[in-house]
Amino acid sequence: NKILFLSIRFLFSRKINLLLILLIAICLGCLITVSSVAHGFSVITSEQTKSVFSDITIEIPSQTLGVSNYQLLSDTCMKVEGVAAVAPFIKGQALFSDEYGQDSVGTVIGIDWEKEKQVSLLKDKLLHDLKAPECFQRNSQRGAVLGSAMSNMGTKSLITVFAKEGSVVLEVNGFYKTGITEWDFSGILVSLETAQILFGARDYEPEKYRKMSTGVRVKIKNGYEISSVQNALRTVFSKLAGNGLNFSVLRIVDYREMNGIEIKAMESYEKIIHIILTIMLIMITFSIFIPVHSMVHEKSMDIGILKAIGASKLFIFSIFISVGIMLGLASTIIGLPLGFLITNYLNELLDFIHYNPFPPDVFYVDKLPIVYHTEGILMIVFFINFVAITASILPAIRASLLTPINLLRRN
């Protein structure tokens, strides 16, 4: 093909064009790396949330003991197609004081370990080989596990938790780290029974508050969509309204809504990264346009000869468009492996230079989360090639409109 031969000859006749290909390839590799890290943060935040809150949470908003009979609610949920397991929980705000009299506000979270391990991965969040449910066993007092941000209190220390319904003394048996800000900075994990006593012993008889909870968490079976199970639960609850439990006021939300602020923050961060990447692509456009435009001037003698022997405007236009296509393809062939190489060994590289741009105490990751976003990578490759072709259009038009007499006279 004459067009391909001439475009290759024009492109590789100058060493600076090889440098341009390498530059675009490096930019492509960096775009893949940055996109994969940004997507990784979004994915890991979503996964951490799901591992703690399970798939679906059912509760009565703003009521610590809003569900009067969690066993009835659990049994009702288990009858819905797609539900694999159900576990009760209690969540309420309280004031706690340590052994030195320092007061802080915390979130008391009561769970039933035997049922909780069926719906979430909370047992895997315990630090320093702490075992569940041994962490709640009574030593001098009832046991509790605190969020990792409160590890300065130390194990075996005592804290007194105050709620408007009463108070209870707890012994710190260990710590956990979930990646959920509210839990890690102020969460006090206790047994379901301890939370029921704290929030219900003052106002209810034991046989009543031992049935109560804030709500239940639902784990769905593989192959079922969360939204379809949510709709099925709403349908069942609407039919049972007023039948022993106020089903009509129950809120049914998925794990993303339970930690919506952090998930949306990471998604916004990813969008900002994509905006920055778009600006980089615009800059790449100019880096391609200028060399191709100067190539038209430098190859004016060749263009004049080609036109003098009968080359059409379309033929000349196609040569320079082919130059842009080859710029994009060559950069893609080099840039894709380079991007995957950089991305795969990025954490090792950062460890080698002893640098961590994302402190673990802020981002809750020990290393950068790398998750390839196939659609994002394909879009980057597409735009790189699209930009390379687009940047060649104006120089190609200019070259095709040049007249052979003027070109030969000038040279």
Side-chain angles (χ1 to χ4, degrees):
N1 191 310
K2 295 179 181 179
I3 293 176
L4 180 60
F5 172 77
L6 290 171
S7 59
I8 293 175
R9 181 173 176 271
F10 283 8
L11 179 61
F12 295 105
S13 61
R14 301 175 65 209
K15 293 182 179 179
I16 193 172
N17 290 335
L18 298 176
L19 184 62
L20 176 61
I21 292 174
L22 182 60
L23 174 63
I24 299 173
I26 292 174
C27 288
L28 174 59
C30 292
L31 293 178
I32 292 174
T33 301
V34 173
S35 176
S36 300
V37 172
H39 186 61
F41 273 111
S42 295
V43 170
I44 196 172
T45 301
S46 181
E47 290 178 348
Q48 285 175 339
T49 301
K50 188 175 182 179
S51 68
V52 172
F53 293 109
S54 193
D55 296 309
I56 297 173
T57 297
I58 304 174
E59 62 182 358
I60 297 179
S62 305
Q63 294 190 31
T64 304
L65 295 178
V67 176
S68 59
N69 190 334
Y70 71 78
Q71 190 60 53
L72 174 61
L73 178 58
S74 299
D75 293 341
T76 304
C77 292
M78 289 300 298
K79 295 177 182 178
V80 176
E81 184 180 1
V83 174
V86 182
F89 73 94
I90 292 177
K91 180 182 178 183
Q93 298 296 316
L95 181 71
F96 69 93
S97 178
D98 59 21
E99 293 177 326
Y100 304 100
Q102 184 176 355
D103 297 332
S104 303
V105 177
T107 302
V108 177
I109 305 160
I111 60 173
D112 182 332
W113 266 122
E114 293 304 316
K115 295 179 179 179
E116 184 69 25
K117 66 183 181 182
Q118 301 177 29
V119 302
S120 75
L121 299 177
L122 199 56
K123 59 182 176 56
D124 299 331
K125 309 296 182 179
L126 302 176
L127 301 178
H128 311 304
D129 298 323
L130 189 63
K131 303 298 181 182
E134 290 85 348
C135 55
F136 291 157
Q137 288 180 351
R138 178 189 289 272
N139 293 314
S140 59
Q141 302 290 342
R142 293 178 179 271
V145 186
L146 306 186
S148 57
M150 298 185 285
S151 59
N152 60 309
M153 293 187 186
T155 56
K156 303 306 177 183
S157 61
L158 299 179
I159 60 173
T160 304
V161 182
F162 302 92
K164 64 179 181 179
E165 296 85 356
S167 64
V168 63
V169 178
L170 303 173
E171 181 179 358
V172 179
N173 287 338
F175 303 91
Y176 65 85
K177 184 177 182 180
T178 63
I180 309 299
T181 302
E182 181 186 10
W183 284 49
D184 290 349
F185 276 83
S186 63
I188 304 173
L189 205 59
V190 298
S191 65
L192 187 69
E193 179 193 6
T194 300
Q196 288 171 332
I197 292 173
L198 175 64
F199 293 109
R202 180 176 177 180
D203 298 327
Y204 305 100
E205 294 297 323
E207 61 271 12
K208 186 171 184 178
Y209 70 68
R210 286 172 183 166
K211 299 179 181 180
M212 304 176 78
S213 73
T214 302
V216 297
R217 305 200 198 282
V218 179
K219 178 70 175 178
I220 67 172
K221 297 177 181 178
N222 294 332
Y224 285 83
E225 294 288 336
I226 293 179
S227 57
S228 63
V229 177
Q230 281 182 285
N231 293 332
L233 287 168
R234 292 189 181 100
T235 301
V236 171
F237 290 168
S238 63
K239 295 178 181 179
L240 296 176
N243 187 20
L245 188 67
N246 196 358
F247 287 97
S248 61
V249 298
L250 291 171
R251 184 180 71 154
I252 306 173
V253 296
D254 64 13
Y255 66 94
R256 292 180 61 85
E257 294 178 79
M258 292 300 296
N259 192 31
I261 294 177
E262 291 189 24
I263 291 177
K264 289 179 180 178
M266 287 297 103
E267 290 176 346
S268 298
Y269 164 73
E270 186 176 1
K271 290 177 181 177
I272 292 172
I273 292 298
H274 287 159
I275 292 174
I276 296 174
L277 299 184
T278 303
I279 295 174
M280 289 182 64
L281 288 174
I282 295 173
M283 296 173 63
I284 292 173
T285 303
F286 288 101
S287 70
I288 296 174
F289 172 79
I290 294 174
V292 177
H293 187 273
S294 64
M295 187 186 301
V296 173
H297 177 73
E298 293 176 3
K299 297 299 180 181
S300 59
M301 182 67 175
D302 298 291
I303 297 171
I305 294 173
L306 289 171
K307 286 210 166 189
I309 61 176
S312 65
K313 292 181 179 179
L314 180 60
F315 185 85
I316 301 299
F317 177 84
S318 300
I319 290 174
F320 286 91
I321 287 295
S322 297
V323 169
I325 293 174
M326 283 190 293
L327 272 172
L329 289 177
S331 301
T332 301
I333 292 172
I334 299 174
L336 274 178
L338 180 63
F340 291 135
L341 183 66
I342 294 173
T343 305
N344 289 336
Y345 291 97
L346 181 60
N347 283 303
E348 286 77 3
L349 177 61
L350 293 175
D351 290 339
F352 178 75
I353 62 177
H354 303 290
Y355 176 67
N356 186 0
F358 300 97
D361 57 337
V362 177
F363 288 88
Y364 296 97
V365 290
D366 298 322
K367 60 181 181 179
L368 292 183
I370 305 294
V371 178
Y372 291 114
H373 190 202
T374 304
E375 293 181 3
I377 293 174
L378 291 176
M379 287 297 293
I380 291 172
V381 171
F382 169 77
F383 276 112
I384 285 286
N385 287 272
F386 176 77
V387 163
I389 296 171
T390 303
S392 303
I393 291 177
L394 287 179
I397 293 174
R398 177 172 173 266
S400 66
L401 295 178
L402 294 175
T403 56
I405 295 177
N406 290 333
L407 287 172
L408 295 174
R409 182 186 299 118
R410 185 188 308 166
N411 287 278

